[in-house]
Amino acid sequence: MTIQSVRGMPDILPEQSGGWLFLEQTVAALFSSYGLVQVRTPVVEETRLFARAVGDVTDIVEKEMYSFDDRSGESLTLRPELTAGVVRAVIEHGMLHNQTQRLWYQGPAFRYERPQKGRYRQFHQIGVECFGFADSTIEAELIELTDHLWRALGIRDALDLEINSIGSVSARESYKTALVAFLHSHFDSLDEESQSRLERNPLRILDTKNSSTQALLANAPALEDYLTKEDSAHFEALCLSLDQAGIRYRKNPRLVRGLDYYGRTVFEWMTDSLGAQGTVCGGGRYDGLVQHLGGRATPGVGFALGMERVVLLMETLGVIPAQMQTQADIYLMIQNVQSESTMRSLAREIRFQIPGLRVMTHIGGGSLKSQLKKADKSGADIGLIIGEDELKTKSVVYKPLRGGDQETLPNEEVVKRLKLLRDM
Ligand code: ATP
Ligand code: MG
C-alpha cells in the first residue's frame, strides 16, 4: 500500500503555491515598510508553555493540541499558535528591557480539529506581536496594517472588520460574575456546549453559534457596562483613530476571542465568501501575558491571520496575479543537439543581464512542435528558437507566443530586445 499524507495535513502543490508566494512576498515587503522585523521560533515547545499562555480551559489546550513525550520523558507540543513561543523568546532573550519590539512571524501551526474546507490539522499563520505600547495607537497601526495588506492582495472588499473591548482583567472578572449568575438562572434553556462552558469559560458563550442561546443572550448583562473609565477611553481613542484613517468597522459587543490572554481590544476580519470558516484574521491586546509567563509586566498587542483562508479567498476572488501562476516568461528551444551549448550560453546571458526574468531552457529533445507545446504550457510570452540556420548565422528566432509575428534577431540583439519588453 502506498503511504499518504496525514489526515488534515495537506500538501501545497505548484498549482496553489503561486498564491502562497504572492501572499508571502506581499507580507514581507509590506510589514518591513511598517518597521516590523521578523522572528522565527521553533515548531515545538514545552507543553506547559501553551497550557499557561493559551489557557487551560480553552478549546486549544483541552482538545486540540498535538502533545507527546520525547525520549527523555519531557512533554512537548507542536505549537497550536505562535504567540506563546514569541513571548517566551522575548522574555528569554531579554528583549523587553527598556525597549519596545515590533515583530512578525510566519509558519506552521498544529491543531487536532475536524478537517474541512478552511480548517486543517497543520495550517499556517502570519502574525505580528508588538511589545511595550500601552497606548491604543498601536492597535490602530496594526489594524491599518491589516487593512493595507488586504488592499495589496486585492481582497479588501470581501472583508469586514469587527472590533470590541472586553475590558481589563478586573472589569472582566466582575462581568463574568454577573454573566454567570444570569446564565445560571436560565441554565435549562442553554445549549449543551454553553452549559459545559458556563463553569469553565463563560465568556466564550457570547461566541455561540446556537440561535436559541443567542436569543437568550440578548437580555444578558452587557460587557460594555462593566468597562472601567480607562477601558472605555482606550476603546474610544481607537475608534477615533480608525475613523481618522478612513477604516470602516463594526462594533460587535459580543466579540470575544478564543484565547485566554486577551484584554481590552479584540478585533477580527471576516468574510462571507468562504462559508463557515469565515474568520481570516484575529487579534487584540494581551497586557497580562508577558508577566503571566514570568517576564516583567509589559503590554502586548498582536494579530494572526490564517494563510490557508487568505489564499482560499484570493483564489475565490481570482486576484492572484497571472505571473504567480505560470512557470516562465521566456522559453528557449533548439532544432538539434548541436545548438545546446549556444542555447545555454544565451540563457545564461539573459539571466545575468535581466534579474528576475524567468528563463526556461528546453531539456529533453523532441520535435520543434512538441517543444512549442511545452513553451506554451510554461506560460512564457516569448519563445527563442535556435535552428540550424540561426546556429550558423549566430542569430535567434524571436517568437511571440501569445500573438504577433516572429522575427530573426542577431544574438547580441536578444538581451536588448527583452530589456525593452520588460520596461514596457
Ligand atoms: P476558529 O474560530 O476558526 O476556530 P480560532 O479562533 O481558533 O479560529 P485563532 O486561534 O484566532 O483562530 O487563529 C488565528 C487565525 O488562524 C484564524 O482566524 C484562522 O484564520 C486561522 N486558523 C485557526 N485555526 C485554523 C485551522 N485549524 N485551520 C486553518 N486555519 C486556522
Ligand atoms: Mg479554533
Side-chain angles (χ1 to χ4, degrees), residues 59-60 64 80-81 109-114 116 118-125 204 207 209 256-259 262 268-269 276-283 303-310:
D59 286 350
I60 290 181
E64 295 175 358
E81 52 94 60
F110 304 82
R111 297 184 194 176
Y112 193 80
E113 303 203 67
R114 194 170 70 77
Q116 52 199 290
R119 191 176 294 286
Y120 310 95
R121 290 181 173 176
Q122 170 169 324
F123 63 103
H124 299 77
Q125 292 188 333
R204 283 225 65 186
D207 216 11
K209 304 272 183 304
V256 289
R257 307 264 318 126
L259 311 183
Y262 285 90
E268 272 184 9
W269 286 96
Q277 268 54 253
T279 303
V280 160
C281 172
F303 69 80
L305 64 85
M307 295 179 71
E308 281 76 4
R309 294 184 194 176
V310 172

Side-chain angles (χ1 to χ4, degrees), residues 55-217:
D56 280 332
V57 294
T58 53
D59 286 350
I60 290 181
V61 174
E62 280 187 336
K63 51 188 192 209
E64 295 175 358
M65 289 203 309
Y66 278 91
S67 301
F68 60 97
D69 289 346
D70 74 0
R71 286 171 195 276
S72 65
E74 188 177 12
S75 179
L76 303 179
T77 294
L78 302 184
R79 62 186 179 198
E81 52 94 60
L82 281 74
T83 302
V86 171
V87 174
R88 180 207 38 78
V90 295
I91 297 170
E92 182 171 336
H93 300 289
M95 291 166 67
L96 301 176
H97 298 301
N98 303 316
Q99 49 188 322
T100 56
Q101 294 290 346
R102 304 182 198 204
L103 309 173
W104 75 278
Y105 62 73
Q106 163 187 342
F110 304 82
R111 297 184 194 176
Y112 193 80
E113 303 203 67
R114 194 170 70 77
Q116 52 199 290
K117 187 182 170 200
R119 191 176 294 286
Y120 310 95
R121 290 181 173 176
Q122 170 169 324
F123 63 103
H124 299 77
Q125 292 188 333
I126 290 174
V128 171
E129 313 293 351
C130 294
F131 299 96
F133 303 96
D135 203 272
S136 69
T137 314
I138 190 68
E139 281 106 312
E141 173 93 346
L142 293 192
I143 290 173
E144 194 166 332
L145 169 64
T146 50
D147 178 87
H148 196 158
L149 176 61
W150 312 140
R151 287 171 198 277
L153 297 172
I155 58 176
R156 175 64 185 88
D157 290 344
L159 288 166
D160 290 308
L161 171 64
E162 290 194 349
I163 61 174
N164 189 26
S165 173
I166 58 171
S168 46
V169 177
S170 66
R172 215 159 53 247
E173 283 311 311
S174 42
Y175 174 68
K176 250 190 214 172
T177 312
L179 181 69
V180 169
F182 171 84
L183 292 174
H184 256 305
S185 65
H186 296 87
F187 191 80
D188 293 337
S189 324
L190 292 175
D191 63 281
E192 218 172 293
E193 188 178 38
S194 298
Q195 287 183 340
S196 85
R197 279 179 172 162
L198 186 54
E199 295 306 330
R200 296 178 301 122
N201 196 355
L203 280 185
R204 283 225 65 186
I205 298 175
L206 300 179
D207 216 11
T208 183
K209 304 272 183 304
N210 182 286
S211 52
S212 67
T213 302
Q214 276 177 350
L216 192 69
L217 284 169

Side-chain angles (χ1 to χ4, degrees), residues 310-328:
V310 172
V311 172
L312 265 173
L313 186 57
M314 293 193 297
E315 286 170 352
T316 307
L317 300 176
V319 297
I320 299 164
Q323 233 232 346
M324 302 301 298
Q325 292 174 307
T326 59
Q327 200 166 1

